[in-house]
Coordinates of all heavy atoms in Angstrom, one line a residue:
M1 N 247.4 146.8 318.0 CA 248.7 146.1 317.9 C 249.8 147.1 317.5 O 249.6 148.0 316.7 CB 248.6 145.0 316.8 CG 247.5 144.1 317.1 SD 247.4 142.6 316.1 CE 245.7 142.1 316.5
G2 N 250.9 146.9 318.1 CA 252.0 147.9 317.9 C 253.1 147.6 316.9 O 254.1 148.2 317.0
D3 N 252.8 146.7 316.0 CA 253.9 146.4 315.1 C 254.0 147.5 314.0 O 253.1 148.2 313.7 CB 253.8 145.0 314.5 CG 252.4 144.6 314.0 OD1 251.5 145.3 314.4 OD2 252.3 143.7 313.3
M4 N 255.2 147.7 313.5 CA 255.5 148.7 312.5 C 256.1 148.0 311.3 O 256.7 147.0 311.4 CB 256.6 149.7 313.0 CG 256.1 150.6 314.1 SD 255.2 152.0 313.5 CE 256.5 153.0 312.9
S5 N 255.9 148.6 310.1 CA 256.6 148.2 308.9 C 257.0 149.4 308.1 O 256.6 150.5 308.4 CB 255.7 147.1 308.2 OG 254.7 147.8 307.5
V6 N 257.7 149.1 307.0 CA 258.1 150.2 306.2 C 257.6 149.9 304.7 O 257.7 148.8 304.3 CB 259.7 150.4 306.2 CG1 260.1 151.4 305.2 CG2 260.1 150.7 307.6
G7 N 257.1 150.9 304.1 CA 256.7 150.7 302.7 C 255.7 151.8 302.3 O 255.7 152.9 303.0
P8 N 255.0 151.7 301.2 CA 254.1 152.7 300.7 C 252.8 152.8 301.6 O 252.2 151.7 301.9 CB 253.8 152.4 299.3 CG 254.1 150.9 299.2 CD 255.1 150.5 300.3
C9 N 252.4 154.0 301.9 CA 251.2 154.2 302.7 C 250.0 153.8 301.8 O 250.0 154.1 300.6 CB 251.1 155.7 303.0 SG 249.5 156.2 303.6
Y10 N 249.0 153.2 302.4 CA 247.8 152.7 301.7 C 247.1 153.9 301.0 O 246.5 153.7 300.0 CB 246.9 152.0 302.7 CG 245.6 151.5 302.1 CD1 245.5 150.3 301.4 CD2 244.4 152.2 302.3 CE1 244.3 149.8 300.9 CE2 243.2 151.8 301.8 CZ 243.1 150.6 301.1 OH 241.9 150.2 300.6
Y11 N 247.1 155.0 301.7 CA 246.3 156.2 301.2 C 247.1 157.1 300.3 O 246.6 157.5 299.2 CB 245.8 157.0 302.4 CG 244.9 156.1 303.3 CD1 245.4 155.6 304.5 CD2 243.6 155.8 303.0 CE1 244.7 154.8 305.4 CE2 242.8 155.0 303.8 CZ 243.4 154.5 305.0 OH 242.6 153.7 305.8
C12 N 248.3 157.5 300.7 CA 249.0 158.5 299.9 C 250.2 158.0 299.1 O 250.8 158.7 298.3 CB 249.4 159.7 300.8 SG 250.7 159.3 301.9
G13 N 250.6 156.7 299.4 CA 251.7 156.1 298.7 C 253.1 156.5 299.2 O 254.1 156.1 298.7
H14 N 253.1 157.4 300.2 CA 254.4 157.9 300.8 C 255.1 156.7 301.3 O 254.6 155.9 302.1 CB 254.1 158.9 301.8 CG 255.4 159.3 302.6 ND1 256.2 160.3 302.1 CD2 255.9 159.0 303.8 CE1 257.2 160.5 302.9 NE2 257.0 159.7 304.0
I15 N 256.4 156.6 301.0 CA 257.2 155.4 301.5 C 257.9 155.8 302.8 O 258.6 156.9 302.8 CB 258.2 154.9 300.5 CG1 257.4 154.3 299.3 CG2 259.1 153.8 301.1 CD1 258.2 153.7 298.2
G16 N 257.7 155.1 303.8 CA 258.4 155.4 305.1 C 257.8 154.5 306.2 O 257.2 153.5 305.9
P17 N 258.1 154.8 307.4 CA 257.6 154.0 308.5 C 256.1 154.0 308.5 O 255.5 155.1 308.3 CB 258.1 154.6 309.8 CG 258.9 155.8 309.4 CD 258.8 156.0 307.9
L18 N 255.4 152.9 308.7 CA 254.0 152.8 308.6 C 253.4 152.3 309.9 O 254.0 151.5 310.6 CB 253.6 151.8 307.5 CG 254.0 152.2 306.1 CD1 253.8 151.0 305.2 CD2 253.3 153.4 305.6
N19 N 252.2 152.9 310.2 CA 251.4 152.3 311.3 C 250.5 151.3 310.7 O 250.2 151.3 309.5 CB 250.6 153.4 311.9 CG 251.4 154.6 312.5 OD1 252.3 154.3 313.3 ND2 251.2 155.8 312.0
I20 N 250.0 150.4 311.5 CA 249.1 149.3 311.1 C 247.8 149.4 311.8 O 247.8 149.4 313.1 CB 249.8 147.9 311.2 CG1 251.0 147.9 310.4 CG2 248.8 146.8 310.8 CD1 252.0 146.7 310.7
T21 N 246.7 149.5 311.1 CA 245.4 149.5 311.7 C 244.6 148.3 311.2 O 244.7 148.0 310.0 CB 244.7 150.8 311.4 OG1 245.4 151.9 311.9 CG2 243.3 150.8 311.9
Y22 N 243.9 147.7 312.1 CA 243.1 146.5 311.7 C 241.6 146.9 311.9 O 241.2 147.5 312.9 CB 243.3 145.3 312.6 CG 244.7 144.7 312.4 CD1 245.8 145.0 313.1 CD2 244.8 143.6 311.5 CE1 247.0 144.4 312.9 CE2 246.0 143.0 311.3 CZ 247.1 143.4 312.0 OH 248.3 142.8 311.8
Y23 N 240.8 146.6 310.9 CA 239.4 146.7 311.0 C 238.8 145.3 311.1 O 239.2 144.4 310.3 CB 238.8 147.4 309.7 CG 239.2 148.9 309.7 CD1 240.3 149.3 308.9 CD2 238.5 149.8 310.4 CE1 240.6 150.6 308.9 CE2 238.8 151.1 310.4 CZ 239.9 151.6 309.6 OH 240.2 152.9 309.6
N24 N 238.0 145.1 312.1 CA 237.5 143.8 312.4 C 236.0 143.7 312.0 O 235.2 144.6 312.2 CB 237.7 143.5 313.9 CG 239.1 143.2 314.2 OD1 239.6 142.1 314.0 ND2 239.8 144.3 314.7
Y25 N 235.6 142.5 311.5 CA 234.2 142.2 311.1 C 233.7 141.0 311.8 O 234.5 140.0 311.9 CB 234.2 142.2 309.6 CG 234.6 143.5 309.0 CD1 236.0 143.6 308.7 CD2 233.8 144.5 308.9 CE1 236.4 144.9 308.2 CE2 234.2 145.8 308.4 CZ 235.5 145.9 308.1 OH 236.0 147.1 307.6
P26 N 232.5 140.9 312.1 CA 231.9 139.8 313.0 C 231.6 138.6 312.1 O 230.5 138.0 312.3 CB 230.7 140.5 313.6 CG 230.2 141.5 312.7 CD 231.5 142.0 312.0
I27 N 232.5 138.2 311.3 CA 232.2 137.0 310.4 C 233.4 136.1 310.5 O 234.6 136.6 310.4 CB 231.9 137.4 309.0 CG1 230.6 138.1 308.9 CG2 232.0 136.2 308.1 CD1 230.2 138.5 307.5
V28 N 233.2 134.8 310.8 CA 234.3 133.9 310.8 C 234.5 133.4 309.4 O 233.7 132.6 308.9 CB 234.0 132.7 311.8 CG1 235.1 131.7 311.8 CG2 233.7 133.2 313.2
C29 N 235.6 133.9 308.8 CA 235.9 133.6 307.4 C 236.9 132.5 307.3 O 237.4 132.0 308.3 CB 236.4 134.9 306.7 SG 237.8 135.5 307.5
N30 N 237.2 132.1 306.0 CA 238.3 131.1 305.8 C 239.6 131.8 305.5 O 240.6 131.1 305.4 CB 237.9 130.2 304.6 CG 236.7 129.4 305.0 OD1 235.9 129.7 305.9 ND2 236.5 128.3 304.3
C31 N 239.6 133.1 305.3 CA 240.9 133.8 304.9 C 241.6 134.3 306.1 O 242.8 134.6 306.0 CB 240.6 134.9 303.9 SG 239.2 136.0 304.3
C32 N 241.0 134.5 307.3 CA 241.7 135.1 308.4 C 241.7 134.1 309.6 O 240.9 133.1 309.5 CB 241.0 136.4 308.8 SG 240.8 137.6 307.5
D33 N 242.5 134.4 310.5 CA 242.5 133.6 311.7 C 241.4 134.1 312.7 O 241.6 135.2 313.2 CB 243.9 133.7 312.4 CG 244.1 132.7 313.6 OD1 243.3 131.8 313.7 OD2 245.0 133.0 314.4
G34 N 240.3 133.4 312.8 CA 239.2 133.9 313.6 C 238.3 134.8 312.7 O 237.9 134.4 311.6
N35 N 237.9 136.0 313.3 CA 237.0 136.8 312.5 C 237.7 137.5 311.4 O 239.0 137.7 311.4 CB 236.4 137.9 313.5 CG 237.4 138.8 314.0 OD1 238.2 138.4 314.8 ND2 237.4 140.1 313.6
H36 N 237.0 138.0 310.4 CA 237.5 138.7 309.2 C 238.1 140.0 309.7 O 237.5 140.8 310.4 CB 236.5 138.9 308.2 CG 237.0 139.4 306.9 ND1 237.9 138.7 306.1 CD2 236.8 140.6 306.3 CE1 238.2 139.5 305.0 NE2 237.5 140.6 305.1
K37 N 239.3 140.3 309.2 CA 239.9 141.6 309.4 C 240.6 142.2 308.2 O 241.1 141.4 307.4 CB 240.9 141.5 310.6 CG 241.7 140.2 310.8 CD 242.4 140.2 312.1 CE 241.8 139.4 313.2 NZ 241.5 138.0 312.8
I38 N 240.7 143.5 308.2 CA 241.4 144.1 307.1 C 242.6 144.9 307.8 O 242.4 145.6 308.7 CB 240.5 145.2 306.4 CG1 239.3 144.5 305.8 CG2 241.3 145.9 305.3 CD1 238.3 145.5 305.2
R39 N 243.8 144.6 307.2 CA 245.0 145.3 307.7 C 245.4 146.4 306.8 O 245.5 146.2 305.6 CB 246.1 144.2 307.7 CG 247.5 144.7 308.1 CD 248.5 143.5 307.8 NE 249.8 144.1 307.7 CZ 250.7 143.9 308.7 NH1 250.5 143.1 309.7 NH2 251.9 144.4 308.6
I40 N 245.5 147.6 307.4 CA 245.9 148.8 306.6 C 247.2 149.3 307.1 O 247.3 149.6 308.3 CB 244.8 149.8 306.7 CG1 243.4 149.3 306.2 CG2 245.2 151.1 305.9 CD1 243.0 149.6 304.8
E41 N 248.1 149.5 306.2 CA 249.4 150.1 306.6 C 249.4 151.6 306.1 O 249.1 151.8 304.9 CB 250.5 149.4 306.0 CG 250.6 147.9 306.4 CD 251.7 147.1 305.8 OE1 252.3 147.5 304.8 OE2 252.1 146.1 306.4
H42 N 249.6 152.5 307.0 CA 249.5 153.9 306.6 C 250.5 154.8 307.4 O 250.9 154.4 308.4 CB 248.1 154.4 306.9 CG 247.7 154.2 308.4 ND1 247.8 155.2 309.3 CD2 247.2 153.1 309.1 CE1 247.5 154.8 310.5 NE2 247.1 153.5 310.4
C43 N 250.8 155.9 306.8 CA 251.8 156.8 307.4 C 251.1 157.6 308.5 O 249.9 157.6 308.7 CB 252.4 157.8 306.3 SG 251.2 159.0 305.7
N44 N 251.9 158.4 309.2 CA 251.4 159.2 310.3 C 250.5 160.3 309.9 O 249.7 160.8 310.7 CB 252.5 159.8 311.1 CG 253.1 158.8 312.1 OD1 252.4 157.9 312.6 ND2 254.4 158.9 312.3
N45 N 250.6 160.8 308.6 CA 249.8 161.9 308.2 C 248.4 161.6 307.7 O 247.6 162.5 307.6 CB 250.6 162.6 307.0 CG 251.9 163.1 307.4 OD1 252.2 163.5 308.5 ND2 252.9 163.0 306.4
C46 N 248.2 160.3 307.4 CA 246.9 160.0 306.9 C 246.0 159.5 308.0 O 246.4 158.7 308.8 CB 247.0 158.9 305.8 SG 247.8 159.6 304.3
K47 N 244.7 160.0 307.9 CA 243.7 159.5 308.9 C 243.2 158.2 308.3 O 242.9 158.1 307.1 CB 242.6 160.6 308.9 CG 242.0 160.7 310.3 CD 240.9 161.8 310.3 CE 239.6 161.1 310.3 NZ 238.5 161.8 309.7
T48 N 243.0 157.2 309.1 CA 242.5 155.9 308.6 C 241.0 156.0 308.4 O 240.3 156.5 309.2 CB 242.9 154.8 309.6 OG1 242.2 155.0 310.8 CG2 244.4 154.6 309.8
E49 N 240.6 155.3 307.3 CA 239.2 155.2 307.0 C 238.9 153.8 306.7 O 239.7 153.1 306.1 CB 238.9 156.0 305.8 CG 238.5 157.5 306.1 CD 238.3 158.2 304.8 OE1 237.8 157.7 303.8 OE2 238.8 159.4 304.8
Q50 N 237.8 153.3 307.1 CA 237.4 152.0 306.8 C 237.2 151.8 305.3 O 236.6 152.6 304.7 CB 236.0 151.7 307.5 CG 235.4 150.5 307.1 CD 234.4 150.1 308.2 OE1 234.6 149.1 308.8 NE2 233.4 150.8 308.4
P51 N 237.8 150.8 304.7 CA 237.7 150.6 303.3 C 236.2 150.3 303.0 O 235.5 149.8 303.8 CB 238.5 149.3 303.0 CG 239.4 149.1 304.2 CD 238.7 149.8 305.4
I52 N 235.8 150.7 301.8 CA 234.4 150.6 301.5 C 234.0 149.1 301.1 O 232.8 148.8 301.2 CB 233.9 151.5 300.3 CG1 234.9 151.6 299.2 CG2 233.5 152.9 300.9 CD1 234.4 152.5 298.1
Q53 N 235.0 148.3 300.7 CA 234.6 146.9 300.5 C 235.8 146.0 300.8 O 236.9 146.5 300.9 CB 234.1 146.7 299.0 CG 235.1 147.1 298.0 CD 234.5 147.0 296.6 OE1 233.4 146.6 296.4 NE2 235.3 147.3 295.6
T54 N 235.6 144.7 300.9 CA 236.6 143.8 301.2 C 236.3 142.5 300.5 O 235.1 142.2 300.2 CB 236.7 143.5 302.7 OG1 237.7 142.6 303.0 CG2 235.4 143.0 303.3
K55 N 237.3 141.7 300.2 CA 237.2 140.4 299.6 C 237.2 139.4 300.8 O 238.0 139.6 301.7 CB 238.2 140.1 298.6 CG 238.0 140.7 297.3 CD 239.0 140.2 296.3 CE 238.8 140.9 295.0 NZ 239.9 140.7 294.0
I56 N 236.4 138.5 300.8 CA 236.3 137.5 301.9 C 236.1 136.1 301.4 O 235.3 135.9 300.4 CB 235.2 138.0 302.9 CG1 235.2 137.1 304.1 CG2 233.8 138.1 302.2 CD1 234.3 137.7 305.3
W57 N 236.8 135.2 301.9 CA 236.6 133.8 301.6 C 235.7 133.1 302.7 O 236.0 133.2 303.8 CB 237.9 133.0 301.5 CG 238.7 133.3 300.3 CD1 239.7 134.3 300.2 CD2 238.6 132.8 299.0 NE1 240.2 134.3 298.9 CE2 239.6 133.4 298.2 CE3 237.8 131.8 298.5 CZ2 239.7 133.0 296.8 CZ3 238.0 131.4 297.1 CH2 238.9 132.1 296.3
I58 N 234.6 132.5 302.2 CA 233.7 131.8 303.1 C 233.4 130.5 302.4 O 233.1 130.5 301.2 CB 232.4 132.6 303.4 CG1 232.8 133.9 304.1 CG2 231.5 131.8 304.2 CD1 231.6 134.8 304.2
S59 N 233.4 129.4 303.2 CA 233.0 128.1 302.6 C 231.5 128.2 302.3 O 230.7 128.7 303.1 CB 233.4 126.9 303.5 OG 232.6 127.0 304.7
T60 N 231.1 127.6 301.2 CA 229.7 127.6 300.7 C 228.8 126.9 301.7 O 227.7 127.2 301.9 CB 229.6 127.0 299.3 OG1 230.3 125.8 299.3 CG2 230.1 128.0 298.3
E61 N 229.4 125.9 302.4 CA 228.6 125.2 303.4 C 228.2 126.1 304.5 O 227.0 126.0 305.0 CB 229.5 124.1 304.0 CG 229.0 122.7 303.8 CD 230.0 121.6 304.3 OE1 230.3 121.6 305.5 OE2 230.5 120.9 303.4
K62 N 229.1 126.9 305.0 CA 228.8 127.9 306.0 C 227.7 128.9 305.5 O 226.9 129.3 306.3 CB 230.0 128.7 306.4 CG 230.9 128.1 307.5 CD 231.9 129.1 308.0 CE 233.0 128.5 308.8 NZ 234.0 129.5 309.1
L63 N 227.9 129.3 304.3 CA 227.0 130.3 303.7 C 225.6 129.8 303.6 O 224.6 130.5 303.7 CB 227.5 130.7 302.3 CG 227.3 132.1 301.8 CD1 227.7 133.1 302.9 CD2 228.1 132.3 300.6
L64 N 225.4 128.5 303.4 CA 224.1 127.9 303.3 C 223.4 127.8 304.6 O 222.2 127.7 304.7 CB 224.2 126.5 302.6 CG 224.5 126.5 301.1 CD1 224.8 125.1 300.6 CD2 223.3 127.1 300.3
D65 N 224.2 127.7 305.7 CA 223.6 127.6 307.0 C 224.4 128.4 308.0 O 225.1 127.9 308.9 CB 223.6 126.1 307.4 CG 223.0 125.9 308.8 OD1 222.2 126.8 309.3 OD2 223.2 124.8 309.4
P66 N 224.3 129.8 307.8 CA 225.2 130.7 308.6 C 224.9 130.6 310.1 O 225.9 130.7 310.9 CB 224.8 132.1 308.1 CG 223.6 131.9 307.3 CD 223.5 130.5 306.9
V67 N 223.7 130.3 310.5 CA 223.4 130.3 311.9 C 223.9 128.9 312.5 O 224.6 128.9 313.5 CB 221.9 130.4 312.2 CG1 221.6 130.3 313.7 CG2 221.4 131.8 311.7
G68 N 223.6 127.8 311.9 CA 224.0 126.5 312.4 C 225.5 126.4 312.4 O 226.1 125.7 313.2
E69 N 226.2 127.0 311.4 CA 227.6 126.9 311.3 C 228.4 128.0 312.0 O 229.6 128.1 311.9 CB 228.0 127.0 309.8 CG 227.5 125.8 308.9 CD 228.4 124.6 309.1 OE1 229.5 124.7 309.6 OE2 227.9 123.5 308.8
N70 N 227.6 128.8 312.8 CA 228.2 129.9 313.6 C 229.1 130.8 312.7 O 230.2 131.1 313.0 CB 229.0 129.4 314.7 CG 228.1 128.6 315.7 OD1 227.1 129.1 316.1 ND2 228.5 127.4 316.1
L71 N 228.5 131.3 311.6 CA 229.3 132.2 310.7 C 229.5 133.5 311.4 O 230.6 134.1 311.2 CB 228.5 132.4 309.4 CG 229.1 133.2 308.3 CD1 230.4 132.6 307.8 CD2 228.1 133.4 307.2
F72 N 228.6 133.9 312.2 CA 228.8 135.3 312.8 C 229.3 135.1 314.2 O 229.0 134.2 315.0 CB 227.4 136.0 312.9 CG 226.8 136.2 311.5 CD1 225.8 135.4 311.0 CD2 227.4 137.1 310.6 CE1 225.3 135.5 309.7 CE2 226.9 137.2 309.3 CZ 225.8 136.5 308.9
V73 N 230.1 136.1 314.6 CA 230.8 136.1 315.9 C 230.7 137.5 316.5 O 230.7 138.5 315.7 CB 232.2 135.5 315.8 CG1 233.1 136.5 315.0 CG2 232.8 135.2 317.1
K74 N 230.7 137.6 317.8 CA 230.7 138.9 318.4 C 232.2 139.4 318.5 O 233.1 138.7 318.8 CB 230.2 138.9 319.9 CG 228.7 139.0 319.9 CD 228.3 139.7 321.2 CE 226.8 140.1 321.2 NZ 225.9 139.0 321.4
I75 N 232.4 140.7 318.1 CA 233.7 141.2 318.2 C 233.7 142.4 319.2 O 232.7 143.1 319.3 CB 234.4 141.7 316.9 CG1 233.4 142.6 316.1 CG2 234.7 140.5 316.0 CD1 234.1 143.3 315.0
S76 N 234.8 142.6 319.9 CA 234.8 143.7 320.9 C 235.2 145.0 320.3 O 235.9 145.0 319.3 CB 235.7 143.3 322.1 OG 236.9 142.8 321.6
Ligands
ZN1 ZN1 249.8 158.5 304.0
ZN2 ZN1 238.9 137.0 306.3

């Protein structure tokens, strides 16, 4: 996605024009539209790295029956 924003870089804190990188995960959560994704805003100098953890909202009903509720989805 080619949108830009301005603010502090996620990695170095430098304030300026930022690139946006999304990391996608094959779980249909309640916090994102479709599969779970992490949005990282970063400057041109920083190499993006996948965050080591993420918070995710999932309904407990889905969690009790992940296969029947189609909790998992294929991402490209
Ligand atoms: Zn940076
Ligand atoms: Zn999510």
Side-chain angles (χ1 to χ4, degrees):
M1 303 189 194
D3 44 346
M4 289 279 281
S5 77
V6 175
C9 167
Y10 177 83
Y11 301 102
C12 70
H14 175 81
I15 294 177
L18 299 170
N19 302 304
I20 297 164
T21 298
Y22 289 91
Y23 290 96
N24 287 279
Y25 300 92
I27 291 181
V28 180
C29 59
N30 293 20
C31 46
C32 307
D33 186 18
N35 65 290
H36 187 64
K37 36 189 98 57
I38 303 176
R39 174 192 161 105
I40 302 259
E41 300 182 338
H42 58 94
C43 72
N44 280 328
N45 301 327
C46 289
K47 217 180 105 210
T48 60
E49 270 173 42
Q50 171 158 247
I52 40 176
Q53 57 183 4
T54 181
K55 283 186 181 168
I56 185 166
W57 286 95
I58 298 174
S59 66
T60 47
E61 241 172 66
K62 274 192 194 177
L63 211 49
L64 287 170
D65 183 14
V67 175
E69 295 281 342
N70 296 312
L71 182 62
F72 301 105
V73 69
K74 276 213 166 78
I75 54 168
S76 43

